[in-house]
């Protein structure tokens, strides 16, 4: 078993709080363990539980109980902290495997449970060994991807529905893998998060986006100014040095902080609202824009959302592409954002009909393939060159 976002909790609340959390989780695991079980901490935030079970169903039931017991929110430094707990379960007839092999298989199953969208408990199957080996190879390749120039940034337009003009761009990380081709962030971002490689990749994407945005602003000035959205991870946000890096990069490239909008997911912002509020407030005071991504797809509550310093929300594409059944919910989310004083961007726009619906619903911004597909820096620069007014030979 391990704790999702433990590193984030440790960095935002301090190592003393992290140590306290581990000690209290150990107590919970002992309480959840069946009689005769062996409970241990393997290292970091990884725990193990070994026991004799009557059958596979009973084993899975005990594993789920242990996960649920550890996942109960815990109070640290005076605030309730939500815990995401994941587990990998291996089943074996007593005596047929050695302990090291069983533990390795359980860790393989745990890696499967760490995948985005996966259930909290994964049960080992031999096919997972191949998946783990592939993941290890991918992590090895990713470690040098920035240095080799394989990480690139593509840009997707964000339209203002007032006049249907270009209002901003979202910077999207892509990995130009030598064998696998061009990979979207979904294919490697979770791996980068788990391995700690997200720091270097995130810094590269941020710096590239600010440098490109500054150049395009000079080519085609606009009023209001063009903004650039950059996705950042929870690990980056709570890093004490991240704010200083943002300020330095903005200054180096002549970009006003308000024209930089940092996107964080709704799930992290809501589940770890205490750490999120403190980290986001620091960025907000420095003038950077803050956007809650995937709004509506997670577990937002009005009370929590109202106390987080966001400027804007991006409404999950599922509400627009889901048809009439979900479009009423989409209209409600747009009104909710407006009432909270937040700009809203609807994702997933695929037609003029979608744009007309969003205009009628009062949505300020739209993004999707119909507004413009993600394109590399060269193609995006040609777009701005076409928008630029003719200049004199001297200029």
């Amino acid at each position: 078993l391990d704790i999702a976002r433990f590193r984030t909790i440790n960095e935002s609340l301090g190592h003393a709080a992290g140590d306290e959390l581990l000690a209290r989780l150990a107590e919970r695991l002992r309480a959840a363990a069946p009689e005769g079980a062996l409970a241990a901490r393997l290292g970091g935030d990884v725990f193990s539980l070994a026991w004799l079970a009557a059958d596979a169903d009973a084993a899975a039931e005990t594993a789920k109980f242990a996960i649920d017991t550890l996942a109960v929110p815990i109070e640290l430094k005076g605030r309730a902290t939500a815990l995401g707990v994941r587990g990998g379960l291996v089943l074996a007839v007593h005596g047929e495997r050695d302990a090291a092999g069983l533990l390795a298989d359980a860790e393989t199953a745990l890696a499967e449970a760490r995948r985005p969208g996966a259930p909290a408990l994964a049960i080992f199957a031999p096919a997972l060994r191949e998946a783990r080996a592939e993941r290890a190879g991918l992590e090895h390749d990713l470690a040098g991807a920035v240095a080799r120039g394989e990480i690139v940034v593509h840009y997707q337009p964000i339209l203002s529905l007032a006049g249907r003009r270009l209002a901003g761009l979202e910077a999207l990380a892509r990995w130009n893998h030598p064998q696998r081709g061009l990979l979207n962030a979904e294919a490697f971002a979770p791996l980068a998060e788990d391995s700690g490689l997200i720091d270097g990749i995130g810094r590269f994407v941020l710096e590239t986006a600010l440098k490109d945005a500054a150049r395009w602003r000079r080519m085609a000035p606009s009023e209001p100014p063009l903004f650039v959205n950059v996705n950042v991870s929870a690990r980056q946000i709570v890093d004490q040095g991240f704010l200083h890096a943002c300020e330095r990069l903005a200054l180096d490239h002549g970009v006003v902080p308000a024209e930089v909008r940092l996107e964080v997911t709704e799930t992290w912002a809501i589940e770890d609202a205490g750490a999120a509020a403190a980290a986001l407030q620091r960025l907000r005071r420095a003038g950077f824009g803050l956007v809650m991504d995937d709004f509506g797809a997670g577990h937002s509550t009005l009370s929590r959302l109202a106390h987080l310093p966001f400027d804007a929300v991006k409404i999950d594409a599922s509400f627009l592409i889901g048809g009439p059944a979900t479009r009423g919910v989409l209209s409600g989310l747009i009104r909710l954002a407006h009432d909270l004083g937040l700009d809203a961007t609807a994702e997933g726009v695929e037609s003029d009909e979608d744009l007309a619906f969003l205009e009628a619903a009062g949505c300020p911004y739209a993004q999707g393939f119909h507004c413009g597909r993600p394109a590399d820096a060269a193609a995006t620069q040609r777009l701005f060159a076409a928008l630029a007014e003719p200049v004199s030979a001297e200029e």
Side-chain angles (χ1 to χ4, degrees), residues 227-243:
F227 57 78
V228 60
N229 284 21
V230 181
N231 293 278
V232 294
S233 69
R235 177 185 169 91
Q236 289 175 275
I237 288 283
V238 300
D239 183 349
Q240 296 293 327
F242 181 68
L243 169 60

Side-chain angles (χ1 to χ4, degrees), residues 9-319:
I9 295 170
N10 216 21
E11 291 174 352
S12 61
L13 297 182
H15 292 286
D19 290 345
E20 179 187 349
L21 172 61
L22 292 174
R24 292 168 67 180
L25 289 175
E27 293 173 1
R28 287 183 177 185
L29 186 59
R30 289 194 195 97
E35 185 177 354
L38 172 64
R41 178 183 171 218
L42 298 181
D45 64 334
V46 181
F47 294 85
S48 69
L49 186 64
W51 71 100
L52 295 176
D55 53 40
D57 289 341
E61 191 171 322
T62 298
K64 290 175 182 175
F65 177 71
I67 289 172
D68 291 344
T69 301
L70 266 64
V72 174
I74 198 165
E75 187 171 304
L76 293 170
K77 288 195 170 182
R79 69 185 186 215
T81 301
L83 303 174
V85 180
R86 301 162 295 195
L89 175 64
V90 60
L91 305 166
V93 176
H94 182 53
E96 74 173 8
R97 297 284 309 282
D98 62 25
L102 288 173
L103 190 57
D105 289 345
E107 290 174 341
T108 296
L110 176 60
E112 177 69 10
R114 287 180 176 135
R115 289 190 309 106
L121 176 67
I123 300 177
F124 175 80
L128 293 180
R129 284 200 194 103
E130 296 179 11
R132 188 178 190 187
E134 182 179 358
R135 178 184 171 91
L138 202 61
E139 182 177 334
H140 177 270
D141 293 343
L142 186 59
V146 172
R148 293 190 299 268
E150 294 171 4
I151 302 297
V152 296
V153 181
H154 285 197
Y155 298 91
Q156 185 170 26
I158 299 173
L159 297 187
S160 168
L161 290 175
R164 297 198 180 182
R165 62 171 183 81
L166 180 66
L169 297 164
E170 180 178 359
L172 301 165
R174 298 288 185 261
W175 182 8
N176 197 8
H177 192 282
Q179 285 78 45
R180 300 168 183 258
L182 193 67
L183 302 179
N184 290 343
E186 290 78 7
F188 63 90
L191 178 61
E193 287 264 15
D194 287 345
S195 62
L197 295 171
I198 194 66
D199 295 335
I201 294 172
R203 186 73 59 89
F204 170 79
V205 171
L206 179 62
E207 181 166 15
T208 301
L210 295 191
K211 179 177 65 177
D212 288 342
R215 182 172 68 254
W216 297 331
R217 280 281 316 283
R218 292 192 295 270
M219 290 177 62
S222 62
E223 191 57 46
L226 177 84
F227 57 78
V228 60
N229 284 21
V230 181
N231 293 278
V232 294
S233 69
R235 177 185 169 91
Q236 289 175 275
I237 288 283
V238 300
D239 183 349
Q240 296 293 327
F242 181 68
L243 169 60
H244 301 299
C246 290
E247 291 178 315
R248 180 183 59 79
L249 291 173
L251 182 63
D252 288 349
H253 297 293
V255 176
V256 177
E259 296 163 15
V260 182
R261 307 202 317 177
L262 305 173
E263 291 192 22
V264 298
T265 62
E266 175 192 37
T267 302
W268 171 71
I270 295 301
E271 286 185 355
D272 202 2
L280 295 172
Q281 284 288 4
R282 291 193 295 269
L283 290 160
R284 179 72 176 274
R285 285 194 294 268
F288 292 95
L290 300 171
V291 182
M292 178 185 281
D293 198 10
D294 299 330
F295 180 59
H299 310 90
S300 293
T301 65
L302 286 178
S303 58
R304 287 183 175 180
L305 182 57
H307 288 90
L308 291 171
F310 285 101
D311 305 288
V313 295
K314 294 184 78 174
I315 302 175
D316 190 72
S318 61
F319 294 101

